[in-house]
């Protein structure tokens, strides 16, 4: 395979788009949905599918593209671990507030029931 056979105007677009999409997937799944492991898995699966489709249209083998998919999946996993670490205190505080709210509502419901059953 000669280096002149690969069009350098088309493959770098794929590389740029895949990096940006990996970052967006990591942010969406990590920060908005709190499903941290889904972003690296989805990144790897989508890029692995592309690794087997792109060789049909370009003069490139699937091995480098599959290695690139693995590389971006590892970067996405590192980002997911970082997002998990940075948001764990916020999730813990949110859970404590939710439990306190439920406990307060439960207390108010039982107190209001007693008042309705006891007219004095």
């Amino acid at each position: 395979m000669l280096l002149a056979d690969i069009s350098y105007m088309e493959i770098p677009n794929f590389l740029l788009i895949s990096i940006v999409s990996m970052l967006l997937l990591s942010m969406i799944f990590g920060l908005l949905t709190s499903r941290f492991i889904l972003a690296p898995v989805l990144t790897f699966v989508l890029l692995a599918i592309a690794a087997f489709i792109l060789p049909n249209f370009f003069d490139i083998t699937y091995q480098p593209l599959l290695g690139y998919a693995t590389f971006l999946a590892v970067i996405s996993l590192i980002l997911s671990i970082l997002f998990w670490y940075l948001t764990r205190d916020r999730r813990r505080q949110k859970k404590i507030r939710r439990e306190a709210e439920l406990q307060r509502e439960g207390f108010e419901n039982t107190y209001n029931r007693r008042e309705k059953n006891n007219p004095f």
Side-chain angles (χ1 to χ4, degrees):
M1 180 168 105
L2 298 172
L3 291 177
D5 292 340
I6 299 173
S7 172
Y8 287 105
M9 297 303 291
E10 295 172 356
I11 291 295
N13 286 335
F14 168 74
L15 300 178
L16 180 66
I17 290 170
S18 61
I19 289 172
V20 170
S21 64
M22 180 269 304
L23 290 172
L24 288 175
L25 279 175
S26 295
M27 285 184 200
I28 288 171
F29 285 112
L31 297 176
L32 298 180
T33 64
S34 297
R35 297 205 168 122
F36 298 100
I37 197 67
L38 198 58
V41 170
L42 196 60
T43 299
F44 179 74
V45 168
L46 291 177
L47 289 177
I49 291 171
F52 290 107
I53 292 175
L54 283 178
N56 293 327
F57 303 106
F58 300 105
D59 188 24
I60 190 169
T61 60
Y62 73 92
Q63 291 95 348
L65 294 174
L66 201 56
Y68 181 69
T70 306
F71 170 72
L72 281 186
V74 169
I75 296 297
S76 180
L77 181 65
I78 291 170
L79 283 175
S80 295
I81 291 171
L82 184 66
F83 290 149
W84 171 81
Y85 182 75
L86 292 175
T87 60
R88 68 178 186 182
D89 289 333
R90 187 181 72 191
R91 286 190 316 270
R92 187 179 307 135
Q93 290 173 356
K94 188 176 179 180
K95 182 180 176 184
I96 290 171
R97 273 188 270 129
R98 189 178 331 122
E99 288 174 355
E101 181 71 24
L102 289 175
Q103 189 177 27
R104 186 181 60 79
E105 286 178 7
F107 175 75
E108 287 177 356
N109 289 340
T110 56
Y111 184 70
N112 288 337
R113 284 189 196 133
R114 280 193 213 140
E115 284 184 353
K116 287 180 183 178
N117 292 338
N118 189 1
F120 297 105

